[in-house]
Amino acid sequence: MTDTTLSAPPLLTVDGTPLKTRLRHIERLNQFKSLLLILPLIAFLVLTFLAPIAAMLVRSVDNPEVAPVLPKTVAAIQQWNKKSLPGEEAYAALASDLTAAKEDPSQLAEAAKRLNMEIPGFRSLVQKTARNLPMETEPESYKTALVELDERWGDPAYWHAIERNASTSTPFYLLSSLDMSVNDEGEIAKAEPDKAIYLEVFARTFWISAVVTVVCLFLGFPLAYLLATLPTRQSNLLMILVLLPFWTSVLVRVAAWIVLLQSGGLINGALETVGLIDEPLELVFNRTGVYISMVHILLPYMILPIYSVMKGISPSYMRAAISLGCHPIRSFWKVYFPQCIAGVAAGALLVFILCIGYYITPALLGGPKDQMVSYFVAFYTNTTINWGMATALGALLLLATVVLYAIYNRLVGANNLKLG
Amino acid sequence: MTSQTLAKAPSFSFRSMFMRDAEPGLKTSGNEESLSPDAPAADSDTLVSFRQVQKSYDGDSLVVKNLNLEIRRGEFLTMLGPSGSGKTTSLMMLAGFEVPTSGEIRLDGKLLNNVPPHKRNIGMVFQNYALFPHLTIFENVAFPLKVRNEGFREIRYQVDKALEMVQLDKFAQRYPAQLSGGQQQRVALARALVFKPQLVLMDEPLGALDKQLREHMQMEIKHIHQQLGVTVVYVTHDQSEALTMSDRVAVFNNGIIQQIDKPEVLYERPANSFVANFIGENNRLTGKLLSRDGEQCVVEMPYGEKVIASAINVGEIGDPVSLSIRPERVVLNDAALSVQNRFNGQIREFIYLGDHVRIRMEVCGTHDFIIKMPTSQFDSRLREGDVVPLGWAAEYAHALDPV
Ligand SMILES: Nc1ncnc2c1ncn2[C@@H]1O[C@H](COP(=O)(O)OP(=O)(O)OP(=O)(O)O)[C@@H](O)[C@H]1O
Ligand SMILES: [Mg+2]
C-alpha cells in the first residue's frame, strides 16, 4: 500500500490559515465555554472537598507547638552530637525560652502537651521548670542548676524528644498510626507492644470490609441477575425493595437492628419459640451485629452497578453459547459472567471503600474489639482533640482508597467503571 | 471483499470438511420415544418436521396456531412474514429455547421435545451476531470445538479453515468490537458452521446491515450453503431476500403458514390474497364470482365489466372475489387485442425508473392500477390523459379470497 497523504500539502481554509490551526482554535473556544458553565461546580468542589482534604493532609504532618515556644533551644541543639548531654548553651537557651514562654501560658501548655506525647511526664517537667524560672540569682551553670532542679534534665531522652520537635513538620503522627516511631538514634523503629494498636485496627478494618464485600457480592450477584432477567413488572417491584433501605436513615436502621437482634429481640424470640435454640444467640454488640447491619446497608451499592452492567448484556449471548453446545451453567461462567466483571469490580470497589470509612454502625452495634479506623478518628477529634492523630489516620485511609482504586484501574480499567 | 477464494476453492473439500455423516444415533426413527407411535415414519429426505405445533405465551392467544412443516435435508428454507407472525417463535422452538405448547418437532426422525438446546447440535446465527465480546475472533470460532473437547491441533485446523471460508483469516486475533458489522456477521457464520451441525438457523442475520452489504452477504451465505450442503432455516421479513436466497419459502401470517413453495411459484401462483400482496407488486380488483368452469372463472366488476381469471381460491357463485394481476403482465394498445380480458384505461401518470416505466392508470374504477413496462417497449407517444386499450391473459389474473 502506498501512502500518498504523507506528501500532501496541509489543507487551508478560505482565508489561508491551515485547517488544523483553525479547528484547534474553535475547539479551544468550545472547551473554554463549557468550562465557564461548570465554574460554580468547580468552586464548590474546591472549597468543600479539595481544600479540606489538602488541609487534612497538611495537618497530619503539622507540628506547630514546640518550635515557636523554644526557638533558642531548638537553635542551640542543632550543634549537639546527640550522644551525651547537650552543652551549657542549650541549657541556658532552654531557661531563657521557658522564661519568655511564661508570657503566654496557653501556648506553653500546648508545647508541654505535645512533648508529653513523646515521653509521659514531660508536661509536668516543663511546667515545674517554668514555675522555677527565672532563677533568683543567675546561676554559674544552667546545666547544673536545671539538673539540680529536676534530674530528668540529665537524661538525654528528654533532649531527644525536644530535638525531634525542632521542626514544624513531623512524621510522628503518621508513624504512630502505623505503630512506629523515631527512636533516640533517629531511626524508625517499632513502637512498644503496649502502644501498638493501630496496625491491628487497620487489619481489623480491612478484614471487616473484605468480609462485608464478599457477603454483599454473594447476596447481590444473584439478586442483580434476577433484576436484570425478570419481566419488567416483577423486576420493578424487586427494585423498589432493593432501594427501600436507601430511603431510611442509617441511624433508624441501626436502631431497628438492635431491636431485632438483641437477646430478647424478635429473631432470638422467634428461634426460641420454634425450638431451634435454647438460649439466645449473641447477635448484637459483637462482630455478628456489625456484619449483619453493614451488609444490609451496603447491599444496594453492590447490586446497582452489577445490575446496570447485566441489563446491557443481551440474552442472545447465552443462547448463542448454548446453541454451540455449551451446558447452560458452563455458558453462564464462560460467556455471561466475564461480561459482568466490570460491574462486579465496580460494586466490590464501592462497597469496600465505603466500608473502610464506616463509623456509626460498628460504633453502635459492635463491641470494643469491633471498632474500625474511623472510630479512632472520631475519638481523636471529639474526645482528646488530637488533630495530628485524627488527620494521620484519615490520610492513611485516603491512601488505602487511592491504592485500591489504582489496583482496580490496572485490572479493569477506569473506563469500564459502571456505577448504575 | 470478493468471493474469489470461494469460487476457486474446490467445493468437495468444504463438503468433506464441514459435513459430518449423519450420526447413527440420530438416524433411528425413534419409535419408542414417539408421542404417537402411529405417526408416519419420517421420510429419509426430511430433516426437520413440525407436526401440529402450537405455541402460546400467555394462555390467551396462539402465537403459532398449527404449524405443519417438513424441512428437507440440504435445503435452504426461509420463513417469511410480517412482524409478529411467529417466525422467531417457530425458530426458537426448533432451537430449544422455547417449548411448544403442543405438537411435536423432530430432527432427523428423533423427537426433540425433551432434548435440551445444548444437545441439539444446531448452529445458530443471531441478528445482533452475539459474538462473545471478551473473546478474540479465533476464540469465538473455537468455542463450540472447545466445548466438545476437541484437541488443540484439531481446533486450530478447523478454526483456520472456517475463518478462511469467510475470508477473515487475517482477523483471528482481533476482538469483535474491532470488526465491521458485515465482518462480525461472517464470524458468527463461521462459528455456527465450524462444528459441522446438520442444521443451521438464522434469525434475520442481515437485518442490521445496510442494503449493499446485505445483498453481498446474501450471495455469500448462499454460496456457503451450496458448498457445504448444510440445511439452513432462515428467517426474514424482507421478501426480496427470501426470493434471492431460498430453495423454498414459507410465508407466515398470524401464526399460520399461508403458503410454502419455491420462490417463483409464490410469485406466479400465490395461494391467497395475503401471499399475493406480501410478495411482489400487485394490482387488486374486487368483484363478484359470476361463474366457474374448472380452472377458470368469470368475475363481475362493480360497473358490470367481466374478467376471465384462473380460479385459485374462490368460494361459491355470488361470493366476493379479489383479483390479483402483476403489473408486468398487463399489456397496452395492439398487444391487448390478443388477450382474453380487454378494457380501456386512462393514463394518469408516468414514472420513469431507468430500466422500466411505471404507468398509473384508471381502470375498472380503480385509480391506482399500475403497469410496468420495460423502457425499450415503451411507446413515447403516450401522454397523460390518453385513453388506451389494455388487457391481460386469463392465466395472469388470479381470483383469490377477498381481503
Ligand atoms: N417471550 C415472549 N413472551 C410473550 N410474548 C412473546 C414473546 N416472544 C414473542 N412474543 C409474541 O409472539 C408474537 C410473535 O413473535 P415472534 O417473535 O415470533 O414474531 P416474528 O415473526 O419473529 O416477528 P419479527 O419479524 O418482528 O421478528 C408477537 O406478538 C410477540 O409479541
Ligand atoms: Mg423475529
Side-chain angles (χ1 to χ4, degrees), chain B residues 83-84 86-89 127 203-204 235 237:
Chain B
S83 191
K87 309 179 297 283
T88 299
T89 305
Q127 176 170 7
D203 191 354
E204 307 202 21
V235 164
H237 56 236

Side-chain angles (χ1 to χ4, degrees), chain B residues 62-345:
Chain B
L62 286 170
V63 170
V64 174
K65 284 193 182 118
N66 183 10
L67 182 61
N68 287 292
L69 174 61
E70 310 261 293
I71 300 169
R72 295 175 199 143
R73 211 176 284 281
E75 88 171 321
F76 195 118
L77 182 115
T78 298
M79 298 179 174
L80 174 68
S83 191
S85 55
K87 309 179 297 283
T88 299
T89 305
S90 304
L91 205 68
M92 287 299 155
M93 287 192 288
L94 182 50
F97 296 115
E98 296 290 353
V99 185
T101 312
S102 75
E104 59 180 44
I105 303 174
R106 284 168 185 277
L107 175 64
D108 221 347
K110 195 180 167 216
L111 191 67
L112 276 186
N113 291 38
N114 293 317
V115 180
H118 66 278
K119 293 208 176 124
R120 294 196 178 188
N121 218 30
I122 296 175
M124 267 195 100
V125 181
F126 296 82
Q127 176 170 7
N128 63 355
Y129 323 133
L131 296 181
F132 308 140
H134 59 293
L135 300 180
T136 61
I137 299 309
F138 183 91
E139 289 164 334
N140 260 285
V141 179
F143 188 88
L145 301 175
K146 278 214 184 105
V147 166
R148 286 168 174 75
N149 294 319
E150 302 272 4
F152 174 76
R153 302 187 56 173
E154 175 69 10
I155 290 180
R156 191 143 209 118
Y157 177 75
Q158 297 287 2
V159 172
D160 286 347
K161 283 289 156 217
L163 284 178
E164 215 170 281
M165 174 182 72
V166 295
Q167 304 152 36
L168 285 175
D169 30 343
K170 291 187 188 65
F171 297 87
Q173 292 317 316
R174 293 217 197 162
Y175 283 90
Q178 297 166 315
L179 298 189
S180 72
Q183 290 168 334
Q184 289 187 41
Q185 194 53 283
R186 288 212 291 266
V187 176
L189 205 58
R191 190 179 65 176
L193 291 167
V194 74
F195 63 103
K196 300 167 190 166
Q198 40 187 340
L199 177 63
V200 179
L201 313 180
M202 307 190 189
D203 191 354
E204 307 202 21
L206 308 181
L209 305 180
D210 62 52
K211 187 167 176 289
Q212 219 173 353
L213 195 55
R214 198 160 65 219
E215 281 167 5
H216 176 78
M217 286 296 295
Q218 285 169 5
M219 292 322 290
E220 215 157 292
I221 292 177
K222 196 173 167 175
H223 290 153
I224 289 174
H225 166 251
Q226 284 163 356
Q227 284 170 3
L228 303 187
V230 62
T231 312
V232 178
V233 180
Y234 191 97
V235 164
T236 180
H237 56 236
D238 177 346
Q239 47 134 329
S240 76
E241 191 166 295
L243 298 184
T244 316
M245 303 176 76
S246 327
D247 296 327
R248 286 197 302 157
V249 179
V251 182
F252 275 67
N253 191 34
N254 290 328
I256 291 180
I257 294 187
Q258 305 287 331
Q259 188 175 3
I260 170 164
D261 221 316
K262 294 197 201 86
E264 56 268 31
V265 177
L266 287 184
Y267 187 82
E268 297 296 351
R269 274 193 88 76
N272 56 37
S273 292
F274 176 81
V275 177
N277 291 329
F278 193 72
I279 293 177
E281 215 181 346
N282 183 33
N283 288 306
R284 209 165 61 219
L285 301 172
T286 44
K288 239 178 25 216
L289 187 64
L290 205 60
S291 69
R292 177 168 182 178
D293 173 22
E295 286 287 284
Q296 286 207 336
C297 64
V298 180
V299 177
E300 187 182 17
M301 296 288 107
Y303 297 112
E305 303 98 329
K306 295 189 177 54
V307 179
I308 307 168
S310 52
I312 295 179
N313 187 1
V314 291
E316 301 295 312
I317 307 291
D319 282 358
V321 165
S322 174
L323 280 177
S324 150
I325 305 140
R326 299 284 182 205
E328 69 274 16
R329 297 294 184 185
V330 181
V331 289
L332 280 181
N333 287 335
D334 298 347
L337 296 174
S338 57
V339 295
Q340 288 126 303
N341 299 299
R342 286 188 295 272
F343 300 97
N344 281 329

Side-chain angles (χ1 to χ4, degrees), chain A residues 182-294:
Chain A
V182 176
N183 65 11
D184 292 351
E185 281 76 48
E187 295 156 350
I188 293 173
K190 281 216 175 88
E192 290 122 53
D194 57 317
K195 281 195 199 156
I197 57 163
Y198 297 111
L199 281 185
E200 198 197 323
V201 171
F202 272 107
R204 184 192 301 153
T205 305
F206 286 125
W207 173 250
I208 292 180
S209 306
V211 170
V212 170
T213 306
V214 169
V215 174
C216 278
L217 182 58
F218 274 97
L219 295 179
F221 190 88
L223 199 59
Y225 183 71
L226 217 57
L227 274 172
T229 48
L230 274 182
T232 326
R233 269 186 49 184
Q234 278 120 299
S235 86
N236 281 346
L237 190 70
L238 199 60
M239 186 57 112
I240 290 174
L241 294 180
V242 167
L243 291 178
L244 209 56
F246 268 146
W247 302 337
T248 343
S249 100
V250 173
L251 265 176
V252 171
R253 277 184 280 164
V254 168
W257 276 118
I258 295 177
V259 171
L260 285 172
L261 297 174
Q262 66 196 349
S263 54
L266 281 176
I267 291 179
N268 272 315
L271 288 177
E272 268 177 285
T273 320
V274 174
L276 277 175
I277 51 169
D278 294 329
E279 50 190 78
L281 299 171
E282 297 273 340
L283 291 177
V284 78
F285 308 125
N286 59 13
R287 197 62 68 84
T288 320
V290 175
Y291 284 148
I292 291 177
S293 117
M294 279 180 75

Side-chain angles (χ1 to χ4, degrees), chain A residues 75-88:
Chain A
I77 57 175
Q78 294 301 323
Q79 283 92 47
W80 178 35
N81 66 6
K82 288 170 195 163
K83 291 199 180 85
S84 56
L85 280 173
E88 167 63 21

